[in-house]
Amino acid sequence: MTRPIALTMGDPSGIGPEITVKAYADPRRRRPVVVIGDPDTLARACRVTGAELTLRTISTVAEAAHSPGVMDVLPVGALPADLPLGTVDARAGAASFQYVRRGIELALEGEIRALTTAPINKEALRLAGLPYPGHTEILAELSGTEDYAMMMANDELRVVLVTVHRSLRTALDSLTTARELEIIRLTHRTLLAGRAKSARPRIAVAALNPHAGENGLFGREDLDIIEPAVRAARREGIDASGPWPADTVFMRARAGEFDVVVAQYHDQGLIPVKYLGLEHGVNITIGLPFVRTSVDHGTAFDLAGQGTADHTSLLTALHQADELAQPPAPEPEDPRGLHLHAHP
């Protein structure tokens, strides 16, 4: 049996458990999945959503049976019976962190092929005394990863962020040529990996200032910070270009001119992706020693307990994890045993 993907159920007070059971029960799910979370909460989610699943508790990934109609659940901790739905709660924040931590451990131990996560709540984490602004920072710290980034992707557009969960002022102050270059390198390596790899990824780097700064008229960051990183990447053989004006570069990438856009700060990159539809977006952490994907939406406390939350983004995240975790297809060989390359 192929190693399964581990799916963390997210904040138990939000829609995470509901979209988890919906995605698990969806006949479009292609690969074996083990769920990390609370069995009682997942059972309640099945009742609310009408998901026809039997829950089976396991103590190790190896015990998973992956039988049709049966959800293999790896419990972590226990939740209080009075935990409310639709409310920010420190207990829910602490539990959601424990699920992610267990998933990271399994990934580093090689017991799972990829990790997919349902949404967690930043405020709940803070109430629980956990100093993380989101999944990305948890994953990086607990896996010992220093160079990492967030990629948001859908069928039409892929975007990688230079800065993520920071105020706009501190994000701009943190931009350096070294950071730009590392993000370009990470993006290049990511698009070379997996079953859906690009032969030579075309990376567009978005400018920080309007019209790419107009040669310094609107600021020198594009000239002094971003452009040197693009030149250095090109010297390394990476097909990077820019900085391109941000008001048109995403449209150009969507039209097929580029494979991915490197954006300078959170909203610059995520607004174009999310405008195309939350239900098909996927959050990918690049640079980790394992594959991790997630939804591109939050805990939606206002929908919790109604059974109406759309699980499409989570199902897409599972499919994307499967694609990225696949080894690249071997290059074809000619009768003389020489590798044939599509590009010289």
Side-chain angles (χ1 to χ4, degrees), residues 45-263:
C46 287
R47 293 192 295 271
V48 167
T49 62
E52 297 182 357
L53 292 171
T54 300
L55 272 59
R56 178 174 178 269
T57 301
I58 57 176
S59 58
T60 67
V61 171
E63 293 177 8
H66 308 298
S67 301
V70 178
M71 173 184 282
D72 294 300
V73 182
L74 191 63
V76 176
L79 290 173
D82 63 344
L83 186 70
L85 286 175
T87 304
V88 177
D89 194 292
R91 297 168 296 180
S96 65
F97 171 78
Q98 296 298 331
Y99 307 150
V100 176
R101 180 163 68 179
R102 185 65 182 125
I104 293 170
E105 292 170 350
L106 293 173
L108 293 177
E109 292 163 1
E111 294 191 40
I112 58 174
R113 62 199 304 266
L115 177 64
T116 297
T117 58
I120 60 177
N121 185 273
K122 299 174 179 61
E123 188 177 352
L125 289 177
R126 186 168 64 250
L127 288 176
L130 297 163
Y132 301 102
H135 267 122
T136 303
E137 293 78 10
I138 296 172
L139 291 155
E141 180 172 312
L142 298 189
S143 68
T145 304
E146 295 183 0
D147 296 322
Y148 60 93
M150 177 191 292
M151 174 188 285
M152 298 294 287
N154 56 35
D155 291 339
E156 300 181 73
L157 186 63
R158 288 184 286 200
V159 174
V160 176
L161 303 179
V162 178
T163 62
V164 189
H165 297 124
R166 310 181 66 142
S167 71
L168 183 56
R169 183 174 301 280
T170 59
L172 302 186
D173 290 342
S174 71
L175 294 177
T176 66
T177 298
R179 176 63 176 165
E180 293 280 341
L181 179 57
E182 183 55 39
I183 294 298
I184 295 171
R185 288 169 174 160
L186 281 173
T187 302
H188 178 73
R189 291 198 297 269
T190 298
L191 295 190
L192 286 176
R195 187 163 59 192
K197 74 172 184 176
S198 301
R200 189 165 185 256
R202 299 164 299 167
I203 302 171
V205 181
L208 174 66
N209 297 302
H211 308 295
E214 290 281 12
N215 290 317
L217 182 64
F218 300 148
R220 294 197 56 85
E221 291 88 353
D222 297 293
L223 287 173
D224 297 342
I225 297 174
I226 301 175
E227 190 173 307
V230 173
R231 289 199 304 267
R234 294 187 66 85
R235 287 195 297 269
E236 296 178 9
I238 298 173
D239 188 359
S241 62
W244 299 107
D247 57 358
T248 56
V249 70
F250 299 100
M251 175 185 65
R252 293 169 64 186
R254 186 185 179 197
E257 188 174 346
F258 306 112
D259 296 306
V260 63
V261 178
V262 170

